[in-house]
Amino acid sequence: MKILYTFCAVIIMFSISGKAQENNLIAEGAELKLVADGYEFTEGPAADAQGNVYFTDQPNNKIYKWSANDGQVSVFMEESGRANGLYFDAEGYLYAAADKYSELWQISPNKEIKVLRDNFRGQRLNGPNDLWVAPDGGIFLTDPFYQRSYWSNSKQPIKEQRVYYMTPDKKGFFMAADSLVKPNGVIGTPDGQSLYVADIEDNKTWKYNIGKDGKLENKTLFTEMGSDGMTIDEQGNIYLTGDGVTIFNSAGEKILHIPVNKEWTANVTFGGKDKRTLFITAMDSLFSLEMNVTGQ
């Protein structure tokens, strides 16, 4: 069944701080717009090369697609493995943190599904949550534990809640970081040199250098704020979620807060034909905001 929504259904006003105006991140006169609603819990927005934005309704086990051509939303995949975070690689493959069976999925352009991983050294993963695909095709995956009603197991399979790394050839799968309480959001820089990981339970976001074979090195505190999902723009600003969207510059200084009139903001990405539209998933809705910067 195809579901269509009007792109500019509702407009929500918000104020912009002085620092935000100085940085000129938001397009002049832009207002937060409700793109679509009526879901149970939206997550995992990711844009393809054409600027189409895919997002999940995790409790309802679906992936949706917003079209950059006509602004309409339709069902992309009915059975999504309870996908949470999504990310595209340079070849057009969509990757999903599918926690129904604690799996990492690769979805081809014609919707063929390949399970890349469901365990670490024989132990079932805790619950893949979010991921980032590096320029060389390596994948960083966060694996926190959030008990799901559809799981048969009630015990956390792996004691540590970690970040894992899958090699570009999709054969190697290694622990990248384990000194975290509950890693959640993850995003890297376009040069493949740095990775940001949000520890949502410890209320911190960390920055790592990406070393040889995906090894995370030189862990440094980026900001004392955790996050659900996150993204980065062309200036190196980091966008954290939870209470609306909070933007930090590359030095870890807060430069803008975008209020979203929902109890929780789960994730964020850039999309649209010019990648200058910020898409925000929040509770039962998908929002957009026109920006002066592009996403990476």
Side-chain angles (χ1 to χ4, degrees), residues 156-173:
Q156 185 172 317
I158 301 174
K159 182 180 179 180
E160 297 82 7
Q161 300 182 59
R162 302 165 169 158
V163 180
Y164 293 98
Y165 175 73
M166 176 165 277
T167 55
D169 61 7
K170 310 301 184 285
K171 294 179 180 179
F173 190 72

Side-chain angles (χ1 to χ4, degrees), residues 89-106:
D89 71 8
E91 297 178 351
Y93 286 90
L94 178 63
Y95 294 83
D99 80 1
K100 183 176 183 179
Y101 300 112
S102 295
E103 297 170 330
L104 172 60
W105 282 15
Q106 181 191 67

Side-chain angles (χ1 to χ4, degrees), residues 6-213:
T6 303
F7 182 58
C8 299
V10 175
I11 296 177
I12 299 173
M13 300 296 293
F14 62 93
S15 60
I16 302 173
S17 70
K19 258 195 171 180
Q21 290 172 333
E22 290 171 14
N23 282 274
N24 197 30
L25 295 177
I26 298 173
E28 185 177 357
E31 297 165 338
L32 191 67
K33 297 177 182 178
L34 176 64
V35 178
D37 61 5
Y39 308 102
E40 191 168 343
F41 191 81
T42 55
E43 248 286 10
D48 64 16
Q50 290 73 46
N52 304 304
V53 175
Y54 296 69
F55 63 97
T56 66
D57 186 358
Q58 203 269 354
N60 286 320
N61 200 21
K62 289 181 173 63
I63 298 176
Y64 290 86
K65 175 186 176 182
W66 172 85
S67 171
N69 289 325
D70 59 16
Q72 302 299 309
V73 176
S74 60
V75 175
F76 171 73
M77 182 171 285
E78 291 279 0
E79 297 291 330
S80 68
R82 301 272 189 173
N84 199 37
L86 304 173
Y87 208 90
F88 277 93
D89 71 8
E91 297 178 351
Y93 286 90
L94 178 63
Y95 294 83
D99 80 1
K100 183 176 183 179
Y101 300 112
S102 295
E103 297 170 330
L104 172 60
W105 282 15
Q106 181 191 67
I107 305 172
S108 72
N110 60 1
K111 302 183 186 180
E112 293 177 344
I113 297 168
K114 182 177 181 180
V115 178
L116 297 179
R117 200 76 189 186
D118 64 0
N119 73 91
F120 179 69
R121 296 178 180 173
Q123 291 182 295
R124 173 180 168 143
L125 294 171
N126 289 325
N129 186 275
D130 209 352
L131 69 155
W132 176 69
V133 182
D136 65 359
I139 302 170
F140 289 91
L141 175 73
T142 59
D143 187 45
F145 182 77
Y146 295 97
Q147 181 63 53
R148 305 299 192 188
S149 61
Y150 43 82
W151 287 347
S152 58
N153 62 298
S154 58
K155 187 178 179 181
Q156 185 172 317
I158 301 174
K159 182 180 179 180
E160 297 82 7
Q161 300 182 59
R162 302 165 169 158
V163 180
Y164 293 98
Y165 175 73
M166 176 165 277
T167 55
D169 61 7
K170 310 301 184 285
K171 294 179 180 179
F173 190 72
F174 306 102
M175 181 181 67
D178 67 348
S179 58
L180 298 157
V181 181
K182 191 180 289 291
N184 196 310
V186 60
I187 195 70
T189 54
D191 60 7
Q193 299 298 306
S194 301
L195 188 77
Y196 296 87
V197 179
D199 191 337
I200 193 168
E201 200 162 283
D202 199 29
N203 201 33
K204 292 179 175 63
T205 296
W206 300 94
K207 181 180 180 180
Y208 297 85
N209 292 341
I210 302 174
K212 185 179 179 181
D213 298 325

